[in-house]
Amino acid sequence: VVDAVARIERSESAAPRLDGARGLEITPYRRDDLAEILALDLRLTGLDRRFDLEEVVRLVARRRGSIAGFLGARGGLLGPVLALDVADLAVLVARHLSELAGPATARLSTAAPNGVMALLALGFYVVDMGLVLSRGVSPPARPPQLYSILPEVL
């Protein structure tokens, strides 16, 4: 077992407040962000997800010029979302929700327990739990993240 995952959902409701960014600059994804995103993703997850990420990344978070996280989504299907800390993950998700008209669903890693609390505060609720299994060497870290719903299968 690599990780326990909570499937979380949020019904269509008012957009969350956008505060707590702590110097985080969030911008739409640009193709020239890809190399830095891939390096961060590889460092934190041990995975090469180039083809997935270049298709779904929508937002990029930077702090002092360096990428601190990113958000991938297909409408209300959130993920992958990866950040250096839980607060940055929550800010990325809140920003996406502020622009989303409709419900949202995601698979949240429980490796960072504060992540569950942060997303509950954004109006998500836990639907069920699952496991991420892996053959071979486990990823080097389990950072605050939302796993992709598509194309990854849990």
Side-chain angles (χ1 to χ4, degrees), residues 99-120:
E99 300 170 0
L100 179 68
T105 187
R107 296 186 189 274
L108 172 66
S109 168
T110 61
N114 292 344
V116 176
M117 298 307 293
L119 291 178
L120 291 176

Side-chain angles (χ1 to χ4, degrees), residues 6-16 71-73 75-79 81 89-98 100 102-108 115-128 146 149:
R7 183 167 57 98
I8 57 174
E9 293 182 355
R10 182 180 191 270
S11 58
E12 186 173 355
S13 57
L71 178 137
L77 299 177
L78 305 183
V81 183
L89 181 90
V91 170
L92 274 164
V93 171
R95 169 71 183 275
H96 182 72
L97 293 174
S98 74
L100 179 68
T105 187
R107 296 186 189 274
L108 172 66
V116 176
M117 298 307 293
L119 291 178
L120 291 176
L122 293 177
F124 284 93
Y125 54 91
V126 176
V127 176
D128 58 32
L146 299 179
I149 293 181

Side-chain angles (χ1 to χ4, degrees), residues 17-86:
R17 288 182 36 200
L18 295 176
D19 56 4
R22 303 172 314 140
L24 202 63
E25 177 189 355
I26 299 176
T27 60
Y29 167 73
R30 296 179 331 229
R31 293 235 3 109
D32 27 332
D33 294 327
L34 185 60
E36 204 174 344
I37 288 170
L38 293 174
L40 176 69
D41 191 56
L42 183 63
R43 181 171 55 103
L44 295 180
T45 69
L47 302 172
D48 178 1
R49 302 189 289 180
R50 169 183 293 278
F51 298 110
D52 294 336
L53 295 178
E54 63 189 354
E55 293 295 320
V56 299
V57 173
R58 301 290 176 254
L59 297 173
V60 176
R62 290 183 179 277
R63 179 171 285 110
R64 293 185 292 278
S66 296
I67 289 187
F70 60 85
L71 178 137
R74 290 188 172 116
L77 299 177
L78 305 183
V81 183
L82 184 74
L84 294 176
D85 67 40
V86 169

